[in-house]
Amino acid sequence: MIERWQARVRAMSLLAGLALLALALLGLQYGASTYVQRVAVDIGIMIILTVSLNLSNGYTGVFSLGHTGFMALGAYGSALLTMTPQVKALNLPDLPAWLAHVHLGFLPALVLVGLAAAAVALAVGYPILRLTGPYVAVATLGFLVIVHIVIINAQAYTRGARTFLGLAPLTNLWWVYGAVVVTIYTAWRIVNSPIGRAMLAVREDPVAARGAGVDILRARLWSFAVSAFFTAVAGALWAHFILAFSASSFWFAVTFEVIVMLIVGGLGSISGSVAATVALSILSEVLRNAERGVTLFGYHTPALYGLSQIVFALVFIAFIVYRPQGLFGDREFSLWPILARWYPPLREAVMAGRQLAE
Amino acid sequence: MSLLVVEGLEKSFAGVHAVAGYRLELPEGAIHGVIGPNGAGKTTLFNLISGYVRPDAGRVRFAGRDITHLPAEARVRLGLARTYQNIRLFKSLSVLDNVRVAAQLHGSAPFPHVLLSTPRFRASEARIRREAEELLDLFGLGPHRDARAGSLPYGLQRKLEIARALAARPRLLLLDEPAAGMNPAEAAQLVAQIRSIRDRFGLTIMLVEHVMPVVMGLCDRIQVLDHGEIIAEGSPEAVRRDPKVVEAYLGTAVEA
């Protein structure tokens, strides 16, 4: 009884949340400056990166430092699929014929690069994911280095170390937040399913997980492939938003940024990842503006370039030292305790329902 | 018919025999004990039978099937579950989830159903939850189902480990020192509980134990290991009187 009621409330709050998101997007589209819109797009892409990395690093305990490689795959791969043959002839004259004539829509390109990244994740993960702890981190970092070198050398496809350009500006708020919703929904479903429980069991104790019948490698490959899928989608969205990038765009800076957001939010908390990404993105945006020097209450601060990165790193260190479990730990944000505090009859109803059940 | 048949099992670590020439024919429904002083090879034996360690020689047959080369997770699927000497729970998961991880072994919905939360997925989740909750209730863990496993007191953690092993629907349950750290009253209760789960689930049980009243009160047959070899075997009464057993445990009376 109480459970059915809770399920109904959950479904209603999900719909309400989606409606609120749609309203916010409408507001951003018609009422916000281009600058604010760009920040919102950036935040959405970071949310996808953080939530998908959480599946592997947070839930399964496979601490990957190589996901930026999947992001690069998504960026370059999707660009090669969506660019018109004319633009490709101009920018990438050495492209093989079959690829030079491909011209796909944005959605099929996103799905294809996601699937390609998942396939690469399975191939790379098969040998790597037998390792544990720091060895996995180092091995995945090796994957990132390989991707970087391939990008620089595969000149016909990537223009090497030079800037890659010629993409159409396909990414907008709706694409990004559509992908955010799909990512969070998928992660949520997986986490609350046998697959998710197997992933958590593997993180907690691989020996006992085997003893409960869990195939460790299979669980790790699942999480690695799904998170690679969404990381590549985020890379594709980012590419069609920033429009010009190079091999160095997919290197340690992004890797570090996403991992900071993940850890500040809490390994194993989807809502934590979202909250930390929003908060840290806004903080770093404010600081980036302050770097040029600002006038506050009549005082003018000097220009402090690099301020945002330094504060970012300090926030990270502070969390590691004082709150290593992050904002949310491995728990999820829930409306119930808040509703129950505001509206005592609800709390009593829930308690009564629990007693009845026992 | 014997549920578990082990022949000529050997395992050495760095030239030292951990288990040598071990054999066993375990009839269905039996409660079999393995005792021996520290370092006698009991835990290695369990690791060999449950598939965590590969033997150097010998064969393990379970329910008529050669499982010598199967990994642990595959053996669990066939019905061979175990507990661990140093409790191994998924500490930061809930008590319920600890059991659900094993209960989902038999029939969970494929990925598309998970993604779309189809009726089939919900039905399998309900089945998994129901089975897990029944087991928790059986061990008096029902009220703790939402607590983190690591926060339970020691005795309840032991029970949760057994509940999790049972959720895999085993035919053979290996218990590695189930009474370790328990006081005599708790140990006596454990004996009764192990018997009742044997009868209730139609199990065959093999256990390694140090607490003698538990072994003597529970087992039909006992094997005594020393330096990896079986030095005595028989009913609890016979084993207790065997001079070789007394010697292995207490040392010889006179040593030059």
Side-chain angles (χ1 to χ4, degrees):
Chain A
M1 174 60 199
I2 192 88
E3 270 169 19
R4 189 179 301 171
W5 188 56
Q6 273 185 329
R8 202 171 296 165
V9 171
R10 212 173 289 142
M12 267 160 44
S13 44
L14 186 68
L15 283 179
L18 286 176
L20 269 178
L21 178 66
L23 270 179
L25 292 179
L26 279 173
L28 280 168
Q29 179 152 24
Y30 295 110
S33 66
T34 321
Y35 168 72
V36 173
Q37 286 174 3
R38 290 188 70 82
V39 171
V41 164
D42 205 42
I43 290 177
I45 292 171
M46 289 307 290
I47 289 176
I48 301 173
L49 289 173
T50 313
V51 169
S52 58
L53 188 66
N54 207 342
L55 278 178
S56 140
N57 293 27
Y59 286 91
T60 320
V62 172
F63 207 91
S64 166
L65 295 175
H67 266 58
T68 310
F70 298 121
M71 193 186 164
L73 199 156
Y76 283 97
S78 64
L80 290 173
L81 293 174
T82 62
M83 278 157 69
T84 62
Q86 294 88 322
V87 172
K88 282 191 226 180
L90 200 65
N91 287 324
L92 302 158
D94 302 326
L95 218 51
W98 64 273
L99 198 53
H101 293 103
V102 172
H103 179 45
L104 293 180
F106 202 22
L107 184 62
L110 290 178
V111 174
L112 274 179
V113 292
L115 291 174
V120 171
L122 290 177
V124 169
Y126 194 74
I128 282 185
L129 297 179
R130 292 158 202 275
L131 306 170
T132 49
Y135 301 102
V136 178
V138 172
T140 51
L141 194 59
F143 167 70
L144 175 57
V145 172
I146 291 170
V147 170
H148 187 72
I149 291 169
V150 168
I151 291 173
I152 287 177
N153 287 288
Q155 301 219 6
Y157 301 86
T158 64
R159 291 169 54 87
R162 289 175 297 160
T163 302
F164 188 100
L165 26 77
L167 297 86
L170 299 175
T171 298
N172 59 29
L173 281 167
W174 301 94
W175 278 107
V176 169
Y177 282 89
V180 166
V181 169
V182 173
T183 307
I184 292 177
Y185 174 81
T186 307
W188 181 251
R189 289 256 54 95
I190 288 180
V191 166
N192 292 290
S193 79
I195 304 166
R197 288 192 292 267
M199 283 161 44
L200 288 165
V202 168
R203 177 191 76 191
E204 290 290 305
D205 188 333
V207 171
R210 291 181 66 191
V214 175
D215 185 332
I216 297 181
L217 185 61
R218 203 178 127 91
R220 287 185 177 149
L221 283 173
W222 254 110
S223 74
F224 204 53
V226 173
S227 78
F229 180 98
F230 287 108
T231 301
V233 168
L237 290 167
W238 186 78
H240 289 83
F241 165 66
I242 212 83
L243 305 180
F245 50 86
S246 68
S248 61
S249 309
F250 308 99
W251 205 223
F252 298 132
V254 195
T255 309
F256 177 67
E257 202 177 345
V258 178
I259 283 177
V260 169
M261 288 171 175
L262 174 62
I263 287 177
V264 168
L267 292 164
S269 169
I270 295 171
S271 42
S273 287
V274 176
T277 305
V278 173
L280 288 179
S281 297
I282 291 174
L283 174 71
S284 90
E285 205 54 43
V286 167
L287 290 169
R288 211 168 309 175
N289 292 332
E291 281 175 1
R292 289 189 294 265
V294 288
T295 307
L296 260 183
F297 310 117
Y299 294 99
H300 191 72
T301 63
L304 287 165
Y305 292 105
L307 178 72
S308 73
Q309 277 150 307
I310 292 172
V311 173
F312 209 74
L314 287 176
V315 167
F316 181 53
I317 293 169
F319 263 89
I320 290 281
V321 174
Y322 296 107
R323 201 175 163 81
Q325 75 275 34
L327 284 175
F328 285 31
D330 59 1
R331 290 170 191 279
E332 293 296 344
F333 172 78
S334 167
L335 271 179
W336 286 107
I338 298 170
L339 284 177
R341 187 180 304 168
W342 281 354
Y343 190 59
L346 184 67
R347 184 174 56 216
E348 280 153 29
V350 172
M351 297 296 273
R354 233 177 236 163
Q355 274 160 11
L356 272 180
E358 269 159 22
Chain B
M1 196 190 92
S2 298
L3 183 63
L4 181 74
V5 180
V6 184
E7 291 162 5
L9 206 60
E10 308 263 346
K11 183 69 194 178
S12 303
F13 293 111
V16 179
H17 279 298
V19 170
Y22 181 83
R23 61 184 159 65
L24 173 68
E25 281 197 27
L26 190 57
E28 193 127 32
I31 300 185
H32 181 81
V34 177
I35 61 173
N38 280 327
K42 305 185 297 291
T43 295
T44 304
L45 177 64
F46 258 34
N47 286 340
L48 285 166
I49 294 177
S50 57
Y52 283 100
V53 173
R54 292 272 164 96
D56 300 331
R59 285 204 314 158
V60 182
R61 292 179 67 81
F62 178 71
R65 206 178 139 170
D66 190 335
I67 60 165
T68 314
H69 301 291
L70 283 185
E73 58 272 21
R75 296 185 194 202
V76 179
R77 286 167 189 274
L78 291 179
L80 200 164
R82 69 171 289 184
T83 64
Y84 304 84
Q85 188 180 344
N86 313 307
I87 305 174
R88 282 182 171 274
L89 292 171
F90 309 124
K91 287 203 184 78
S92 63
L93 303 194
S94 72
V95 167
L96 178 65
D97 276 347
N98 266 270
V99 182
R100 281 204 283 189
V101 168
Q104 71 193 27
L105 196 60
H106 301 282
S108 56
F111 185 58
H113 293 271
V114 170
L115 203 55
L116 301 173
S117 191
T118 60
R120 180 171 161 196
F121 168 72
R122 284 189 227 170
S124 72
E125 283 295 281
R127 196 272 303 163
I128 291 165
R129 193 189 175 99
R130 193 174 57 244
E131 274 188 30
E133 286 184 339
E134 275 170 20
L135 280 168
L136 290 180
D137 289 340
L138 184 66
F139 286 91
L141 286 161
H144 303 282
R145 86 185 94 147
D146 295 323
R148 286 186 195 248
S151 73
L152 290 182
Y154 183 82
L156 289 181
Q157 290 197 16
R158 282 258 172 234
K159 288 182 176 177
L160 177 55
E161 221 193 8
I162 297 176
R164 183 180 64 190
L166 289 175
R169 298 194 201 151
R171 294 176 68 186
L172 171 62
L173 180 61
L174 305 179
L175 299 171
D176 199 347
E177 300 202 16
M182 289 189 176
N183 64 38
E186 287 170 330
Q189 195 204 356
L190 181 80
V191 169
Q193 204 151 30
I194 290 176
R195 266 220 192 83
S196 91
I197 60 170
R198 191 262 312 256
D199 297 339
R200 187 181 168 128
F201 295 95
L203 290 174
T204 306
I205 290 175
M206 182 169 175
L207 59 95
V208 157
E209 189 48 84
H210 269 306
V211 181
M212 280 308 132
V214 171
V215 188
M216 297 297 165
L218 201 51
C219 299
D220 314 317
R221 273 184 87 74
I222 293 175
Q223 287 178 320
V224 187
L225 290 191
D226 192 23
H227 298 297
E229 291 180 44
I230 303 169
I231 58 166
E233 187 164 3
S235 69
E237 274 311 300
V239 163
R240 204 206 310 257
R241 288 202 211 93
D242 193 312
K244 274 186 288 184
V245 177
V246 178
E247 186 188 311
Y249 268 91
L250 303 174
T252 37
V254 185
E255 270 182 348

